[in-house]
Amino acid sequence: MASTISIADLRKEYAQRVLSDAQTAPDPFIQFKQWFDEALQAQVPEPNAMHLCTVSANGKPSGRVVLLKGLDDQGFVFFTNYNSRKGKDIAVNSHICLTFFWPELERQVRIEGQAVKVPDRVSEQYFHSRPRGSQIGAVASPQSQVIENRHLLEEQFARVQTEYGEDQQIPRPLHWGGYCVIPELVEFWQGRRSRLHDRIQYVREASGSWKKQRLAP
């Protein structure tokens, strides 16, 4: 039976919190870590899930959800197959956008910046910290390529699993590793009543310092 609910009528009034200029830290990394900790405390499902948008050489955007796996004073780190569509996009256009959405807290964070590969030692360390099945999957899967059926993928997984057994270390594929997204702009969005949302934006200046601004919703 078809739903009688109008999509246009779906809406929620945001009223949990406010975000004032005085409440926000002078540095977006400090502010992000504060919000991320609050998302953890609120038990938001997969708080490190973030939407990654890349743009190809011919200007076509592509989006998908990936997981944040590292954060320091330089940027936001995630790992992937460099031969995937996102990897190929980044190879020709390193300017990307990340978006976190935590609906339980009525919050969103947008990050615009440049993606650069992390050092090999960082990729090696993270790869070998992953569950063994995930390591095998990274070797077995030709990510983003067209495959005939799932059976072939499972056969490849089984082949790699047999090749390395239960104890032999699985080498990290050279086409698999991390990116650090170095932000140029970070925006914190807090839902408010009547769609008069709070938006505080940080823009990196030529000196490397951050300029904080309020945006109209």
Side-chain angles (χ1 to χ4, degrees):
M1 182 177 178
S3 173
T4 58
I5 298 175
S6 168
I7 294 177
D9 290 335
L10 291 173
R11 59 176 52 86
K12 176 185 176 182
E13 188 72 272
Y14 300 120
Q16 286 190 33
R17 294 172 171 83
V18 302
L19 182 64
S20 68
D21 298 74
Q23 285 178 313
T24 52
D27 184 294
F29 287 105
I30 296 174
Q31 184 63 38
F32 181 86
K33 290 173 183 176
Q34 177 184 325
W35 270 24
F36 190 79
D37 286 345
E38 290 177 11
L40 288 172
Q41 293 168 14
Q43 297 184 331
V44 171
E46 296 200 272
N48 60 329
M50 56 189 186
H51 181 268
L52 164 65
C53 183
T54 59
V55 179
S56 67
N58 57 4
K60 292 185 176 181
S62 177
R64 75 290 286 162
V65 174
V66 298
L67 297 177
L68 177 71
K69 288 297 180 179
L71 174 64
D72 56 27
D73 292 337
Q74 184 179 21
F76 301 78
V77 177
F78 69 95
F79 295 86
T80 189
N81 185 318
Y82 293 141
N83 294 330
S84 64
R85 179 172 177 179
K86 54 185 170 297
K88 291 177 179 178
D89 284 354
I90 292 171
V92 296
N93 184 352
S94 61
H95 296 281
I96 62 90
C97 183
L98 303 172
T99 305
F100 293 85
F101 181 47
W102 300 314
E104 293 81 0
L105 300 177
E106 301 173 351
R107 286 175 172 173
Q108 174 180 271
V109 183
R110 288 195 322 107
I111 299 153
E112 297 177 13
Q114 187 171 9
V116 298
K117 287 183 178 179
V118 303
D120 285 344
R121 59 175 176 77
V122 176
S123 293
E124 287 281 350
Q125 182 179 17
Y126 177 69
F127 181 81
H128 292 297
S129 75
R130 305 176 82 203
R132 193 169 183 82
S134 298
Q135 295 181 43
I136 295 172
V139 176
S141 174
Q143 191 176 122
S144 297
Q145 295 183 29
V146 175
I147 57 175
E148 186 175 346
N149 54 54
R150 182 175 177 86
H151 179 67
L152 293 177
L153 184 64
E154 292 174 344
E155 278 189 337
Q156 179 69 358
F157 185 96
R159 185 193 66 77
V160 176
Q161 191 173 35
T162 300
E163 179 180 353
Y164 292 104
E166 296 183 359
D167 302 319
Q168 186 176 349
Q169 187 180 71
I170 301 168
R172 174 182 67 92
L174 296 180
H175 59 259
W176 191 98
Y179 290 101
C180 179
V181 180
I182 302 171
E184 299 164 358
L185 181 151
V186 184
E187 179 193 326
F188 295 86
W189 178 98
Q190 178 69 63
R192 296 291 302 276
R193 291 186 183 277
S194 302
R195 296 301 188 257
L196 294 178
H197 310 305
D198 287 326
R199 297 175 63 189
I200 302 295
Q201 171 181 276
Y202 297 77
V203 179
R204 190 190 295 272
E205 300 187 294
S207 63
S209 61
W210 292 96
K211 182 178 182 180
K212 187 166 64 169
Q213 305 164 317
R214 174 171 287 271
L215 303 178

